């Protein structure tokens, strides 16, 4: 059974069903999930049926696209409703986003007339943040390898509690950790250990900082349930490119990027529950804005005139009833107004991305062959005298990214304009999204949706990928490796006596004294297991280990940002801003 066939299930539903299991059944939950996912499944409208056995069916009812109550999962076995099957089905399904039961109910007229009890709300938020922190710390303690459905459900319950307390951003971060853990345990091709580490760092960091936050910082940590859309009048937009969306959370679709005459970016998206098939087919779906009949593929090369536009803070166009849109002419990347996107110095673009911008880079490059790295082949390109390593934006074999990158390697020496997404690291790296056609001037290729053919490329001789040349860089990877090992294998992998015993000294010898101290504390926290008077091991101090890991993860992330800025020549633009932010973040995690 593919997860794509199951409707998303609200976090509170999964948590409720798992919590209702007896201790004996909880121990069998992971095995029950594996057994259930091997059974046949059929979708009939809003109902999904799983054949538990030849005589018993399990049903999931999602009339609004998601399962929002425990009663909507029904089993015909003799042990129902207290059976293992219901909890297993909820745990195997994608996690629903922004479900109705996750949002506090609207106040009554009497409640609305009373002033809000800020003192009551604040302790509730602090308690919710503590619950999220403890649940995320338990996930880190076990690592992805040991984080079964029970621990995942505890973090989902904590996420639901945080949302009800008015902390939707913390709740969303907690759900992203669960999705990352599930992807890791299912060997999902989209799983990336660094992404899961970033998700854990984010949720632990936000939950830790919230008790100390005030003013604007507190408001940002709380977040909002939905992004507000504000009126933006009339817009004349020019299509840039489209990219497929395929997430580990069970959502898929496409996003089309456009720009106005001033170079501001706007997106039109079509993302819904689904798998690779929906991601590859979304490009030919009609965009959901106004009455236009344009598909995403067509919009990426055409234009759009919008009246009554509404826009989110991230540039996403709303599709409300008052929005009107008609097709307009597009323009080439080399013509105004799109040409101005490539006129911005690369260092300035990188600085904007590192400061929290959209992350897109508009580069003029000369293709220079490929290089083989441990994680796969990279397309080398010269950009303003700097060698950039271009990688695929998504590894799923259903998407043509990898095949297209391999074919572009045959166009060595070609001068192309490309759109890529910054990949922070000590070397200039970016994820390739779209490019000018190497043999047809004026045409462009959406590398995640269009497929290049050998006949499309200029005649060229290709050489096999060369091994990656040695790079003289500070050995920050020593600390990064331990941070990632903890996320994958939990505390136990760092608690072994010979687990990198000499790494701290190596870091200090190259001037990374803080990194050495953080690594020492991380290893010490991992190995700290006290015993009682009878020699029995006491429960592990998950709080100390989580704090040590968080400090090391925050430090690593901020130093990597600084190294990334230096690699692209953007350190002057972001140095001051990053320095203040890094110090604040590090101080908070060290409390």
């Amino acid at each position: 059974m593919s997860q794509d066939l199951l409707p998303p299930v609200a976090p509170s539903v999964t948590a409720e069903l798992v919590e209702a299991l007896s201790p004996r059944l909880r121990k069998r939950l992971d095995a029950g999930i594996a057994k259930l996912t091997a059974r046949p499944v059929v979708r009939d409208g809003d109902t999904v049926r799983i054949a538990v056995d030849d005589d018993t069916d399990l049903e999931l009812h999602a009339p609004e696209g998601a399962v929002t109550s425990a009663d909507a999962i029904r089993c015909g076995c003799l042990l129902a409703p207290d059976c293992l099957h219901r909890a297993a089905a909820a745990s195997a399904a994608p996690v629903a986003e922004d479900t109705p039961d996750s949002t506090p109910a609207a106040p009554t007229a009497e409640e609305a007339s009373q002033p809000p009890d800020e003192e009551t709300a604040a302790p509730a938020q602090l308690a919710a943040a503590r619950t999220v922190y403890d649940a995320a710390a338990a996930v880190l303690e076990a690592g992805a390898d040991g984080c079964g459905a029970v621990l995942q459900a505890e973090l989902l319950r904590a996420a639901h509690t945080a949302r009800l307390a008015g902390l939707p951003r913390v709740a969303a971060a907690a759900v992203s950790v669960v999705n990352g853990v599930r992807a890791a345990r299912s060997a999902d091709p989209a799983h990336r250990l660094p992404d899961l580490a970033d998700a854990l760092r984010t949720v632990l960091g936000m939950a830790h900082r919230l008790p100390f936050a005030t003013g604007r910082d507190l408001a940002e940590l709380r977040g909002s349930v939905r992004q507000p859309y504000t009126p933006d009048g009339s817009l004349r937009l020019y299509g840039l490119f489209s990219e497929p969306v395929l997430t580990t959370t069970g959502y898929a679709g496409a996003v089309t990027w456009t720009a106005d005459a001033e170079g501001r970016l706007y997106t039109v998206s079509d993302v819904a529950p689904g798998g690779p098939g929906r991601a590859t087919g979304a490009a030919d779906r009609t965009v959901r804005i106004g009455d236009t009949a344009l598909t995403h593929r067509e919009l990426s090369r055409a234009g759009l005139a919008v009246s009554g536009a509404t826009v989110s803070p991230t540039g996403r166009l709303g599709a409300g009833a008052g929005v009107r849109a008609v097709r307009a002419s597009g323009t080439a990347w080399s013509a105004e107004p799109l040409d101005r996107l490539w006129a911005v110095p690369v260092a300035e673009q990188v600085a904007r991305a590192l400061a929290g911008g959209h992350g897109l880079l508009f580069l003029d490059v000369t293709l220079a062959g490929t290089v083989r790295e441990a994680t796969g082949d990279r397309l080398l390109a010269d950009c303003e005298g700097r060698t950039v390593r271009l990688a695929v934006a998504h590894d799923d074999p259903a998407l043509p990214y990898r095949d297209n990158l391999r074919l572009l390697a045959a166009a060595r020496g070609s001068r192309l304009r490309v759109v890529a997404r910054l990949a922070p690291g000590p070397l200039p790296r970016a994820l390739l999204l779209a490019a000018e056609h190497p043999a047809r001037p004026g045409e462009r290729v959406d590398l995640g949706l269009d497929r290049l053919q050998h006949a499309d490329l200029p005649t060229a001789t290709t050489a096999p990928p060369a091994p990656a040349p040695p790079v003289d860089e500070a050995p920050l990877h020593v600390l990064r490796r331990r941070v990632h090992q903890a996320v994958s294998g939990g505390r136990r992998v760092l608690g072994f006596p010979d687990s990198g015993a000499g790494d701290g000294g190596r870091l200090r010898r190259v001037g990374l004294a803080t990194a050495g101290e953080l690594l020492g504390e991380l290893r010490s926290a991992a190995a700290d297991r006290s015993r009682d008077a009878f020699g029995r091991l006491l429960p592990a101090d998950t709080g100390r280990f989580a704090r040590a890991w968080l400090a090391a993860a925050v430090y690593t992330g901020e130093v990597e940002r600084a190294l990334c800025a230096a690699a692209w020549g953007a350190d002057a633009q972001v140095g001051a801003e990053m320095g203040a932010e890094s110090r604040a973040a590090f101080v908070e995690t060290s409390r």
Side-chain angles (χ1 to χ4, degrees):
M1 175 183 68
S2 171
Q3 187 192 50
D4 303 339
L5 297 175
L6 296 179
V9 176
S12 58
V13 173
T14 303
E16 178 183 342
L17 292 175
V18 173
E19 187 177 37
L21 294 176
S22 66
R24 179 180 65 85
L25 289 180
R26 285 192 183 192
K27 294 179 181 179
R28 296 170 50 191
L29 181 55
D30 290 313
I33 294 172
K35 183 177 180 180
L36 191 68
T37 54
R39 301 299 301 167
V41 58
V42 175
R43 179 183 288 272
D44 181 13
D46 296 329
T47 300
V48 172
R49 293 184 180 86
I50 304 173
V52 176
D53 55 39
D54 293 340
D55 303 313
T56 306
D57 284 344
L58 175 72
E59 294 185 347
L60 293 87
H61 299 270
E64 297 181 357
V67 176
T68 58
S69 69
D71 293 339
I73 301 181
R74 306 164 191 166
C75 184
C77 75
L78 295 177
L79 297 180
D82 300 323
C83 63
L84 183 69
H85 305 130
R86 298 171 71 220
S91 300
V95 181
E97 298 180 357
D98 291 335
T99 52
D101 72 313
S102 304
T103 306
T108 64
E110 181 180 357
E111 292 171 335
S113 66
Q114 302 295 324
D117 190 346
E118 293 292 343
E119 293 184 0
T120 300
Q125 291 181 347
L126 293 179
R130 183 74 243 181
T131 300
V132 170
Y133 186 91
D134 291 342
V139 170
L140 177 64
E141 178 84 11
D145 294 343
C147 184
V150 173
L151 284 179
Q152 295 172 31
E154 291 176 358
L155 186 52
L156 289 177
R157 175 169 288 282
H160 179 63
T161 301
R163 182 172 290 277
L164 293 180
L167 300 175
R169 187 180 174 203
V170 175
V175 170
S176 71
V177 171
V178 174
N179 289 326
V181 167
R182 290 183 176 182
R185 292 174 62 84
S186 64
D188 190 315
H191 166 64
R192 293 291 179 273
L193 183 57
D195 293 342
L196 178 54
D198 287 344
L200 260 175
R201 182 185 66 180
T202 298
V203 70
L204 285 171
M206 288 196 299
H208 182 87
R209 288 167 53 202
L210 195 134
F212 311 104
T214 58
R216 182 177 178 180
D217 186 36
L218 178 59
E220 290 180 352
L221 287 174
R222 287 171 173 167
S224 59
V225 175
R226 294 188 182 275
Q227 290 187 336
Y229 283 80
T230 57
D232 203 16
S234 298
L235 296 173
R236 174 64 168 92
L237 303 176
Y238 302 84
L240 270 169
F241 73 99
S242 292
E243 62 174 320
V245 175
L246 183 58
T247 73
T248 58
T249 64
Y251 286 79
V255 173
T256 297
W257 291 79
T258 65
D260 67 7
E262 303 301 320
R264 292 186 295 263
L265 300 184
Y266 298 84
T267 59
V268 180
S269 63
D270 177 7
V271 179
R278 193 179 196 285
T280 56
D284 295 314
R285 294 175 181 269
T286 302
V287 298
R288 298 178 178 178
I289 178 170
D291 300 322
T292 178
L294 279 171
T295 66
H296 283 269
R297 192 186 304 275
E298 291 170 337
L299 176 58
S300 69
R301 292 155 174 84
L304 205 62
V306 186
S307 62
T310 57
V311 184
S312 77
T314 60
R316 181 176 177 179
L317 290 171
V323 179
R324 298 290 181 267
V326 296
R327 180 172 186 157
S329 60
T331 188
W333 284 355
S334 58
E336 287 292 341
L338 298 185
D339 180 67
R340 66 180 57 196
L341 296 171
W342 279 265
V344 178
V346 174
E348 185 177 329
Q349 295 186 48
V350 171
R352 178 182 58 202
L354 291 174
H358 49 67
L360 296 184
L361 302 180
F362 301 91
L363 310 175
D364 287 303
V365 302
T366 301
L367 303 184
T370 58
V371 64
R372 179 164 292 150
E373 296 182 344
T375 55
D377 292 347
R378 301 289 181 262
L379 179 61
L380 297 181
D382 177 80
C383 178
E384 297 185 359
R386 182 180 292 106
T387 299
V388 178
R389 301 181 180 215
L390 300 172
V392 296
H394 203 292
D395 272 331
D396 194 288
L399 303 177
Y401 279 120
R402 187 166 297 283
D403 291 340
N404 285 335
L405 186 139
R406 189 178 298 115
L407 284 172
L408 283 175
R412 181 180 301 181
S414 296
R415 178 74 173 172
L416 301 177
R417 282 196 159 175
V418 302
V419 182
R421 181 169 285 114
L422 178 67
L427 295 174
R429 299 177 190 273
L431 308 179
L432 196 55
L433 301 171
E436 288 181 322
H437 198 289
R440 301 174 189 168
E443 293 189 21
R444 52 209 193 219
V445 181
D446 295 332
L447 296 171
L449 299 169
D450 304 325
R451 286 191 178 273
L452 286 170
Q453 305 295 328
H454 282 285
D456 295 330
L457 304 179
T459 304
T461 58
T462 60
V471 179
D472 184 16
E473 59 175 298
L476 187 66
H477 64 272
V478 171
L479 179 59
R480 184 197 311 117
R481 181 170 64 248
R482 301 305 175 193
V483 168
H484 289 175
Q485 282 180 336
V487 174
S488 178
R491 169 203 289 264
R492 64 186 181 277
V493 300
L494 299 185
F496 300 133
D498 60 344
S499 178
D503 289 345
R506 180 183 177 188
L507 290 168
R508 294 185 185 92
R509 285 193 297 272
V510 297
L512 294 176
T514 301
E517 293 174 6
L518 290 171
L519 180 57
E521 170 59 16
L522 181 60
R523 294 187 64 250
S524 177
D528 183 15
R529 292 298 303 273
S530 302
R531 296 178 181 271
D532 62 17
F534 299 99
R536 295 172 298 193
L537 282 173
L538 295 173
D541 186 352
T542 58
R544 180 192 173 190
F545 180 66
R547 287 191 300 273
W549 181 88
L550 180 58
V554 169
Y555 172 89
T556 302
E558 294 302 333
V559 173
E560 285 184 333
R561 289 180 66 202
L563 292 173
C564 178
W568 288 90
D571 43 341
Q573 287 91 336
V574 300
E577 177 270 331
M578 279 177 39
E581 182 176 318
S582 301
R583 285 193 297 272
F586 183 72
V587 168
E588 290 294 344
T589 56
S590 301
R591 292 186 181 183

